[in-house]
Amino acid sequence: MDTYTGKSIFKGIAIGKILFYQKGEQAVTRVKIQDAQAEIKRYEDATQQAIEQLNALYEKAVKEVGEVNAAVFEVHAMMLEDDDYMDSIRNMIETQQVNAEFAVATTGDNFSKMFADMEDEYFSARAADVKDISERVVNILSGKESGGSIGDEPVIIVADDLAPSETVQMDKDKLLAFVTRYGSSNSHTAILARTMNIPALIGVEISEEWNGKLAVVDGYTGSLYIEPNEETLAAMTAKQEEDRKARELLQKLKGKEDVTTDGRKIRLYANIGGVKDVANVLANDAAGIGLFRSEFLYLESEDYPNEEAQFQAYKTVAENMAGKKVVVRTLDIGADKQVDYFDLGHEENPALGYRAIRICLTRTEIFKTQLRALLRASAYGDIAIMYPMIISVKEVQQAKALVEEIKQELDEKGIAYGNVEQGIMIETPAAVMISEELAKEVDFFSIGTNDLTQYTLAIDRQNMKLDTFYDAHHPAVLRMIQMTIENGHKHGCWVGICGELGADMTLTKTFIEMGIDELSVSPSFVLPIRKIIREM
């Protein structure tokens, strides 16, 4: 028996044979062509076919892993139509008289290297995306199917790395676990693994010789056992059975209240990115939606989504939640979420730049369109509006003034709207330090622990080199959370947490003891956290 360790992405036990997954990349030969226009037509036809494949993958992914996680395939389709990328390929075919396969592969390599060399973590991560879309087009041009076939037997997939498209194309019923050499806990594939409830390890020194061998993946300890001995196999089988029983017990918590043993009620809500994610919220019995990331309506659109499109999305979610609270975060574009048509321009440090409420308060027509849609939709359910990246009282007052202006417009037109709560994200040290003043202006606070940790510790949360320094449990972060709760309660604000830390079950008891009113987490964490609450 050989034992290896890696970083766990999703907890769970998987036992089965290994399939060493190879992308099957082929060397692309440079071929001299005679008719450049005919070759460009071949390339354009292949691109169209690739876009159709990606659209089909998007539909498949939406059903299996939700709208937010499927969005990567829409991004890939848009990347295929990027002017710079397409011009480079066409120019290479015309000027060098080379075949389309060679032009696409070379351009893909060039653009991938360009992204990889960028210091910004978000843009450097796009290198893998460019490689993925280029390989897809080359495969179509070569008459080769894109990856995804893993056979009929359930297997543990071992690979150097996996593109999101490869992950989604695999038969979900045949996937026991993922083990990769590369990747990060924030990669698209890691997110998909968590959403699909599949144990996964990254950073493992893999070997092709493992193909076909029996293995065990322990997502709790980050261990991989190759050809486990009888004692280890028996222990892991028992652990897997305990895991299964624990998940079954959690299902019995559906319909139960989120109340501590001493009678304190906690609002246990869920985070979503789009309309289709509501099914997951209801399936996991969340009491409401604590974070509707409305920016995905913009990320998934080729132009600014109009008022009617936004209204329909918010209305549908409100109606489906049948009176349960739906907290919609207003547009949070910028930093790692870039949209071409916003034309935000290059920034040396986008995480500290032109983003979120700063865009909304300087491009008020965009903001007012969203606010009108939200107010109209509030007539169909309990919608609350939440403003992100707040650092001053003035910003809150400006946003509230726009809401009042829109209410007057709706009143004049006889258009109904509900009694909408307004709140803010607490995700900057500045907001924490003036939280007592901010609490006088709003109905609630929601603590965005991802950015709050990043800004408090001065650590880029997307920079893998800083993983060992990033400590979400840092005393400074916890003290800021405590201060926010206390100051919010002084002025009647309810206070929640909607960042990743809200799902950290080692801190659930701490947060409740601090006085937190609400926790909003990924839908799959609702029942495990309910169990902790009810046992306190």
Side-chain angles (χ1 to χ4, degrees):
M1 179 180 75
D2 293 317
T3 305
Y4 300 83
T5 57
K7 183 175 181 179
S8 177
I9 296 301
F10 185 80
K11 294 177 180 179
I13 306 294
I15 302 172
K17 288 184 178 179
I18 285 176
L19 174 65
F20 193 88
Y21 184 83
Q22 293 178 303
K23 293 177 181 285
E25 295 176 18
Q26 54 188 10
V28 178
T29 306
R30 178 180 183 136
V31 178
K32 193 79 172 174
I33 52 105
Q34 300 299 319
D35 189 342
Q37 292 309 310
E39 199 67 12
I40 289 173
K41 178 69 164 56
R42 275 188 71 225
Y43 155 65
E44 291 174 345
D45 289 346
T47 296
Q48 189 55 46
Q49 190 176 334
I51 291 170
E52 290 170 4
Q53 287 181 0
L54 288 165
N55 289 339
L57 275 177
Y58 172 78
E59 295 300 328
K60 183 176 189 290
V62 163
K63 295 174 185 174
E64 294 184 356
V65 296
E67 196 167 0
V68 175
N69 297 311
V72 62
F73 301 113
E74 289 193 318
V75 173
H76 279 197
M78 286 190 288
M79 289 175 77
L80 279 172
E81 295 180 297
D82 178 78
D83 289 340
D84 293 331
Y85 177 81
M86 296 181 79
D87 287 348
S88 175
I89 293 168
R90 292 186 183 115
N91 183 63
M92 195 174 295
I93 293 172
E94 282 185 331
T95 60
Q96 299 182 31
Q97 295 290 298
V98 294
N99 55 319
E101 291 90 336
F102 183 80
V104 173
T106 303
T107 297
D109 288 343
N110 292 343
F111 273 61
S112 180
K113 185 177 186 306
M114 178 178 68
F115 278 115
D117 289 342
M118 289 183 178
E119 291 185 7
D120 185 275
E121 192 71 18
Y122 172 81
F123 287 110
S124 65
R126 302 287 69 77
D129 293 326
V130 176
K131 289 282 285 183
D132 193 20
I133 63 169
S134 300
E135 286 168 11
R136 179 174 295 278
V137 176
V138 169
N139 284 338
I140 292 169
L141 287 164
S142 307
K144 180 177 175 291
E145 290 293 320
S146 295
S149 176
I150 58 175
D152 298 324
E153 182 182 2
V155 289
I156 295 169
I157 297 291
V158 172
D160 279 331
D161 202 358
L162 289 165
S165 55
E166 292 170 320
T167 310
V168 169
Q169 285 180 91
M170 294 173 181
D171 185 347
K172 194 176 172 184
D173 295 332
K174 303 296 189 297
L175 288 175
L176 298 175
F178 294 131
V179 178
T180 63
R181 186 193 306 272
Y182 306 114
S184 76
S185 56
N186 292 317
S187 70
H188 293 305
T189 299
I191 293 169
L192 290 173
R194 285 193 289 267
T195 307
M196 294 160 69
N197 298 338
I198 295 173
L201 305 180
I202 59 173
V204 178
E205 286 301 315
I206 64 172
S207 170
E208 192 173 349
E209 294 178 359
W210 298 348
N211 192 51
K213 292 183 177 180
L214 182 67
V216 176
V217 173
D218 185 345
Y220 292 95
T221 63
S223 301
L224 171 68
Y225 304 97
I226 305 297
E227 295 189 315
N229 57 36
E230 289 185 12
E231 183 181 357
T232 301
L233 186 59
M236 290 294 107
T237 301
K239 193 173 180 179
Q240 186 181 49
E241 180 61 16
E242 288 174 13
D243 195 42
R244 185 188 64 78
K245 288 180 178 178
R247 293 181 193 280
E248 283 184 359
L249 281 173
L250 286 176
Q251 294 301 307
K252 295 181 180 178
L253 289 171
K254 284 189 175 182
K256 304 289 186 183
E257 283 193 306
D258 302 303
V259 181
T260 62
T261 54
D262 62 357
R264 184 156 167 239
K265 186 167 176 57
I266 306 298
R267 306 183 189 197
L268 188 50
Y269 293 169
N271 301 335
I272 68 167
V275 176
K276 291 177 182 174
D277 293 338
V278 175
N280 232 353
V281 175
L282 298 174
N284 286 278
D285 200 33
I289 292 170
L291 173 61
F292 181 163
R293 300 181 179 94
S294 70
E295 60 269 18
F296 282 95
L297 295 172
Y298 297 79
L299 287 165
E300 294 165 4
S301 178
E302 294 181 3
D303 202 350
Y304 298 102
N306 61 32
E307 181 183 329
E308 192 60 29
Q310 293 193 60
F311 164 69
Q312 290 298 335
Y314 306 140
K315 173 177 176 283
T316 300
V317 172
E319 287 178 332
N320 286 346
M321 291 304 294
K324 294 178 180 177
K325 181 150 322 270
V326 177
V327 179
V328 181
R329 179 174 69 189
T330 58
L331 177 64
D332 190 10
I333 289 294
D336 61 335
K337 290 168 285 192
Q338 297 289 325
V339 180
D340 287 344
Y341 58 82
F342 271 76
D343 195 23
L344 298 180
H346 174 72
E347 293 182 296
E348 290 299 324
N349 196 336
L352 299 179
Y354 189 47
R355 60 174 292 196
I357 197 68
R358 298 164 186 178
I359 294 174
C360 291
L361 292 178
T362 52
R363 300 188 183 183
T364 54
E365 281 313 306
I366 296 172
F367 195 26
K368 287 174 71 175
T369 297
Q370 180 174 35
L371 292 175
R372 272 194 301 270
L374 283 167
L375 286 170
R376 287 174 56 202
S378 69
Y380 299 86
D382 186 3
I383 284 180
I385 300 174
M386 178 165 68
Y387 308 113
M389 277 298 291
I390 293 295
I391 61 168
S392 72
V393 171
K394 181 182 177 183
E395 291 168 339
V396 179
Q397 291 172 338
Q398 287 177 317
K400 288 169 62 182
L402 286 173
V403 169
E404 289 306 310
E405 182 183 322
I406 294 165
K407 283 183 178 179
Q408 287 183 7
E409 292 173 4
L410 295 177
D411 286 339
E412 289 170 5
K413 295 177 181 178
I415 298 173
Y417 54 86
N419 183 22
V420 177
E421 282 192 328
Q422 295 179 72
I424 61 171
M425 295 278 288
I426 301 288
E427 50 194 334
T428 65
V432 174
M433 299 311 293
I434 62 166
S435 52
E436 188 166 356
E437 287 74 29
L438 289 168
K440 298 172 185 176
E441 297 287 337
V442 296
D443 300 302
F444 65 92
F445 290 156
S446 188
I447 304 170
T449 55
N450 302 355
D451 271 332
L452 182 60
T453 303
Q454 171 174 244
Y455 297 134
T456 301
L457 303 184
I459 285 179
D460 180 356
R461 61 189 171 96
Q462 295 194 64
N463 189 335
M464 288 183 290
K465 295 175 184 175
L466 301 177
D467 275 359
T468 55
F469 298 96
Y470 187 90
D471 178 14
H473 292 208
H474 194 289
V477 176
L478 297 180
R479 286 176 192 173
M480 286 201 168
I481 293 171
Q482 179 75 74
M483 184 186 300
T484 301
I485 294 169
E486 290 173 358
N487 286 338
H489 287 173
K490 283 180 187 177
H491 297 282
C493 278
W494 61 266
V495 184
I497 294 175
C498 65
E500 288 295 311
L501 217 53
D504 186 335
M505 289 180 278
T506 65
L507 288 175
T508 304
K509 185 176 179 182
T510 300
F511 290 147
I512 292 173
E513 288 173 347
M514 284 181 178
I516 203 73
D517 302 298
E518 178 246 21
L519 294 169
S520 190
V521 298
S522 295
S524 61
F525 284 96
V526 169
L527 293 177
I529 291 175
R530 176 171 295 166
K531 182 174 185 293
I532 296 172
I533 291 171
R534 291 177 61 83
E535 291 174 352
M536 280 186 64

